[in-house]
Coordinates of all heavy atoms in Angstrom, one line a residue:
A53 N 96.1 97.5 73.4 CA 96.4 98.9 73.1 C 96.2 99.3 71.7 O 95.5 100.3 71.4 CB 97.9 99.2 73.5
R54 N 96.6 98.5 70.8 CA 96.4 98.8 69.3 C 94.9 98.8 69.0 O 94.5 99.6 68.2 CB 97.2 97.8 68.5 CG 98.7 98.0 68.6 CD 99.5 97.1 67.6 NE 100.9 97.2 67.8 CZ 101.6 96.4 68.5 NH1 101.1 95.3 69.0 NH2 102.9 96.5 68.6
R55 N 94.2 97.8 69.5 CA 92.8 97.8 69.2 C 92.0 99.0 69.7 O 91.0 99.4 69.2 CB 92.1 96.5 69.8 CG 92.4 95.2 69.0 CD 91.4 94.2 69.3 NE 91.3 93.9 70.8 CZ 91.9 92.9 71.4 NH1 92.8 92.1 70.8 NH2 91.7 92.7 72.7
A56 N 92.5 99.6 70.8 CA 91.9 100.8 71.3 C 92.4 102.1 70.6 O 92.0 103.2 71.0 CB 92.3 100.9 72.8
G57 N 93.2 101.9 69.6 CA 93.7 103.1 68.9 C 94.9 103.8 69.5 O 95.3 104.9 69.0
A58 N 95.6 103.1 70.4 CA 96.8 103.7 71.0 C 98.0 103.4 70.3 O 98.1 102.3 69.7 CB 96.9 103.2 72.5
A59 N 98.9 104.3 70.2 CA 100.3 104.0 69.7 C 101.0 103.2 70.8 O 100.8 103.4 72.0 CB 101.0 105.3 69.4
V60 N 101.8 102.2 70.4 CA 102.5 101.4 71.3 C 104.0 101.6 71.2 O 104.6 101.6 70.1 CB 102.2 99.9 71.0 CG1 103.0 99.0 72.0 CG2 100.7 99.6 71.2
V61 N 104.7 101.8 72.3 CA 106.1 102.0 72.4 C 106.6 100.9 73.3 O 106.1 100.6 74.4 CB 106.5 103.3 73.0 CG1 108.0 103.4 73.1 CG2 106.0 104.5 72.1
S62 N 107.6 100.1 72.8 CA 108.1 99.0 73.6 C 109.4 99.3 74.3 O 110.2 100.1 73.8 CB 108.3 97.8 72.7 OG 107.1 97.4 72.1
I63 N 109.6 98.8 75.5 CA 110.8 99.0 76.2 C 111.2 97.6 76.8 O 110.4 96.9 77.4 CB 110.7 100.0 77.4 CG1 112.0 100.2 78.1 CG2 109.5 99.6 78.3 CD1 112.0 101.3 79.1
P64 N 112.4 97.2 76.5 CA 112.9 95.8 76.9 C 113.0 95.8 78.4 O 113.2 96.8 79.1 CB 114.3 95.7 76.3 CG 114.4 96.8 75.3 CD 113.5 97.9 75.7
R65 N 112.9 94.6 79.0 CA 112.9 94.5 80.4 C 114.2 95.0 81.0 O 114.2 95.6 82.1 CB 112.6 93.0 80.8 CG 112.5 92.8 82.3 CD 112.0 91.4 82.6 NE 111.6 91.2 84.0 CZ 111.1 90.1 84.5 NH1 110.8 89.1 83.7 NH2 110.8 90.0 85.8
E66 N 115.3 94.7 80.4 CA 116.6 95.0 80.9 C 116.9 96.5 80.9 O 117.7 97.0 81.6 CB 117.7 94.3 80.2 CG 117.9 94.6 78.7 CD 117.0 93.8 77.8 OE1 116.1 93.1 78.4 OE2 117.1 93.8 76.6
A67 N 116.1 97.2 80.1 CA 116.3 98.7 79.9 C 115.3 99.5 80.8 O 115.3 100.7 80.8 CB 116.2 99.1 78.5
F68 N 114.4 98.8 81.5 CA 113.3 99.5 82.1 C 113.7 100.3 83.4 O 114.5 99.8 84.2 CB 112.2 98.5 82.5 CG 111.0 99.2 83.2 CD1 110.0 99.7 82.5 CD2 111.0 99.2 84.6 CE1 109.0 100.4 83.1 CE2 109.9 99.8 85.3 CZ 108.9 100.4 84.5
S69 N 113.2 101.5 83.5 CA 113.0 102.2 84.7 C 111.8 103.0 84.5 O 111.3 103.3 83.3 CB 114.2 103.1 85.0 OG 114.2 104.2 84.1
F70 N 111.1 103.5 85.5 CA 109.9 104.2 85.4 C 110.1 105.5 84.6 O 109.4 105.9 83.7 CB 109.2 104.5 86.8 CG 108.7 103.3 87.4 CD1 109.5 102.6 88.4 CD2 107.5 102.8 87.1 CE1 109.0 101.5 89.0 CE2 107.0 101.6 87.7 CZ 107.8 101.0 88.7
G71 N 111.2 106.2 85.0 CA 111.6 107.4 84.3 C 111.8 107.2 82.8 O 111.4 108.0 81.9
R72 N 112.6 106.1 82.5 CA 112.9 105.9 81.1 C 111.6 105.5 80.3 O 111.4 106.0 79.1 CB 113.9 104.7 80.9 CG 114.3 104.5 79.5 CD 115.5 103.5 79.4 NE 116.6 104.0 80.1 CZ 117.3 103.4 81.1 NH1 116.9 102.3 81.6 NH2 118.4 104.0 81.6
A73 N 110.7 104.7 80.9 CA 109.5 104.4 80.2 C 108.6 105.6 79.9 O 108.1 105.8 78.8 CB 108.7 103.4 81.0
L74 N 108.5 106.5 80.8 CA 107.7 107.7 80.6 C 108.4 108.7 79.6 O 107.8 109.3 78.8 CB 107.5 108.4 82.0 CG 106.5 107.7 82.9 CD1 106.6 108.3 84.3 CD2 105.1 107.8 82.4
N75 N 109.7 108.7 79.7 CA 110.4 109.6 78.7 C 110.3 109.1 77.3 O 110.1 109.8 76.3 CB 111.9 109.6 79.1 CG 112.2 110.5 80.3 OD1 111.4 111.3 80.7 ND2 113.4 110.3 80.9
L76 N 110.3 107.7 77.1 CA 110.1 107.2 75.8 C 108.7 107.5 75.3 O 108.5 107.9 74.1 CB 110.3 105.7 75.8 CG 111.7 105.2 75.9 CD1 111.7 103.6 76.1 CD2 112.5 105.5 74.6

Side-chain angles (χ1 to χ4, degrees):
R54 293 188 183 96
R55 284 202 305 266
V60 177
V61 178
S62 298
I63 180 170
R65 187 168 187 175
E66 63 275 10
F68 179 83
S69 72
F70 291 99
R72 183 172 295 123
L74 288 167
N75 287 342
L76 286 173

